[in-house]
Amino acid sequence: MAEPLVIDSGIAVKWIIDEPDSTSAERILDRYSLNEIVIETISSFSLFESAFSIAVNHRRTFYDSLYLAASSHLGCKFVTADERLYNSTRASFPNIILLSDWPE
């Protein structure tokens, strides 16, 4: 069964524009294409309260906090290329993975 995964928009951009770590981003897309992972879409409205709390407690943008809230809500991994987001939240959100650390 495919595992759910939350990715931020920076990962999707790397699918289209050749940037650092684009190869790692493409591995995520390949796993999605082979039905090994499911990229979930959920209503951000249902995440507002949790995302606001994360934003305030971790001094992150509400936008970034929506990804963390989605990952927590779904109980799945969240992949980001944003090192500042990763470094500032990984202690509280162990499901966050830096794109450069995404397994082969």
Side-chain angles (χ1 to χ4, degrees):
M1 182 168 175
E3 65 179 281
L5 182 69
V6 174
I7 60 167
D8 66 16
S9 58
I11 305 297
V13 167
K14 291 176 185 301
W15 293 339
I16 300 166
I17 300 172
D18 189 25
E19 296 182 337
D21 291 328
S22 285
T23 302
S24 296
E26 289 170 7
R27 285 197 308 265
I28 293 172
L29 185 59
D30 289 343
R31 288 189 63 200
Y32 171 73
S33 298
L34 298 166
N35 297 317
E36 294 176 33
I37 60 172
V38 176
I39 299 173
E40 295 282 341
T41 57
I42 59 175
S43 168
S44 59
F45 183 76
S46 65
L47 304 171
F48 274 28
E49 188 175 322
S50 178
F52 181 76
S53 177
I54 292 167
V56 170
N57 291 329
H58 294 278
R59 302 179 74 181
R60 302 305 310 166
T61 65
F62 181 73
Y63 178 77
D64 285 339
S65 299
L66 281 169
Y67 293 117
L68 292 163
S71 174
S72 294
H73 176 77
L74 296 169
C76 68
K77 295 175 184 172
F78 163 47
V79 182
T80 183
D82 186 337
E83 285 189 51
R84 288 183 4 204
L85 174 62
Y86 173 79
N87 290 332
S88 67
T89 60
R90 69 181 170 178
S92 298
F93 297 92
N95 284 344
I96 191 170
I97 300 171
L98 192 60
L99 178 60
S100 60
D101 295 332
W102 181 253
E104 298 271 338

